[in-house]
Amino acid sequence: IAGITQAPTSQILAAGRRMTLRCTQDMRHNAMYWYRQDLGLGLRLIHYSNTAGTTGKGEVPDGYSVSRANTDDFPLTLASAVPSQTSVYFCASSPGRPYTDTQYFGPGTRLTVL
Amino acid sequence: ILNVEQSPQSLHVQEGDSTNFTCSFPSSNFYALHWYRWETAKSPEALFVMTLNGDEKKKGRISATLNTKEGYSYLYIKGSQPEDSATYLCASTNAGGTSYGKLTFGQGTILTVHP
């Protein structure tokens, strides 16, 4: 059982370029999430999806977009990357009860925008 | 935006010491408090989810308590071992506002256990 996979593992990107971070889960979880992790700021929610076909904005959504065409995949797109988007990005999923479910995290994608 | 605060920011202890850290969270519209353990170069791993005032959870040498009326949770590690070295994150879920039903994380406590 793979759980949650993320790709790429790391990426260096020129500012202004478009980039999609991929996230796939095989646990048939309803809810999926994208977080960014920055030193001193902990994990901050970017976007979430409670179920396939729906998405919502988290704490820091600007500059990012997501889609949820099916249960398994939840890609995160940076339309025009900026250096402040340099971060480690974690995808997570949970069965779907929004308050009490444990979230399961992927291995992360380290993104550097120059 | 909810505020979840953890203290201390970092902690260095000797092998065999017992230690504890604090997580404070908004008590209004509270639903659940989560603790995660995050080792370097790995992804966060769930330890506990607690929902009721007075809840106590235990997993091996690690235990946690919850006070929802005053908005704090303690994580205890008994007889710390070097393999306990990690960042310990807490997160709360509260109803209402822009944080509806989502985990709001604290900044973490970095624990280093020296042999």
Side-chain angles (χ1 to χ4, degrees):
Chain A
I1 296 175
I4 299 182
T5 57
Q6 292 184 236
T9 303
S10 64
Q11 181 76 45
I12 298 173
L13 189 66
R17 296 296 295 269
R18 181 184 178 88
M19 175 75 192
T20 295
L21 307 185
R22 299 185 298 280
C23 174
T24 300
Q25 53 106 356
D26 62 3
M27 298 176 282
R28 307 303 292 172
H29 283 172
N30 284 323
M32 296 186 75
Y33 311 85
W34 274 105
Y35 294 90
R36 59 178 289 173
Q37 186 241 335
D38 302 292
L39 197 63
L41 295 175
L43 285 166
R44 293 182 293 167
L45 182 66
I46 305 171
H47 284 287
Y48 65 91
S49 168
N50 286 333
T51 189
T54 69
T55 62
K57 293 181 180 180
E59 185 184 349
V60 288
D62 294 342
Y64 306 96
S65 63
V66 291
S67 61
R68 187 89 184 276
N70 58 60
T71 297
D72 298 343
D73 300 299
F74 190 43
L76 176 75
T77 297
L78 290 67
S80 178
V82 295
S84 61
Q85 291 177 312
T86 294
S87 187
V88 182
Y89 292 85
F90 286 94
C91 179
S93 72
S94 68
R97 292 169 300 177
Y99 297 104
T100 56
D101 273 349
T102 292
Q103 291 186 14
Y104 297 86
F105 285 81
T109 293
R110 183 175 295 275
L111 181 67
T112 303
V113 182
L114 301 175
Chain B
I1 303 294
L2 301 174
N3 263 344
V4 178
E5 303 282 343
Q6 291 187 246
S7 63
Q9 264 190 311
S10 65
L11 196 55
H12 290 257
V13 301
Q14 290 298 126
E15 183 175 354
D17 288 349
S18 293
T19 187
N20 66 84
F21 349 116
T22 304
C23 172
S24 63
F25 54 88
S27 55
S28 61
N29 301 315
F30 170 83
Y31 268 89
L33 192 284
H34 303 243
W35 280 101
Y36 284 82
R37 182 171 177 271
W38 193 359
E39 291 182 70
T40 303
K42 294 187 178 179
S43 29
E45 184 183 337
L47 287 173
F48 308 115
V49 180
M50 296 182 288
T51 57
L52 299 176
N53 186 45
D55 254 357
E56 290 188 28
K57 294 276 176 104
K58 188 174 180 182
K59 189 175 184 177
R61 293 179 291 98
I62 304 176
S63 60
T65 61
L66 180 67
N67 182 321
T68 60
K69 294 182 179 177
E70 296 181 38
Y72 65 83
S73 174
Y74 293 135
L75 187 81
Y76 300 92
I77 302 178
K78 185 177 177 182
S80 304
Q81 300 296 309
E83 58 264 30
D84 295 328
S85 297
T87 298
Y88 290 83
L89 294 171
C90 71
S92 76
T93 52
N94 298 65
T98 58
S99 299
Y100 182 75
K102 306 300 171 289
L103 287 179
T104 301
F105 283 88
Q107 76 275 31
T109 292
I110 302 170
L111 174 67
T112 305
V113 182
H114 299 280

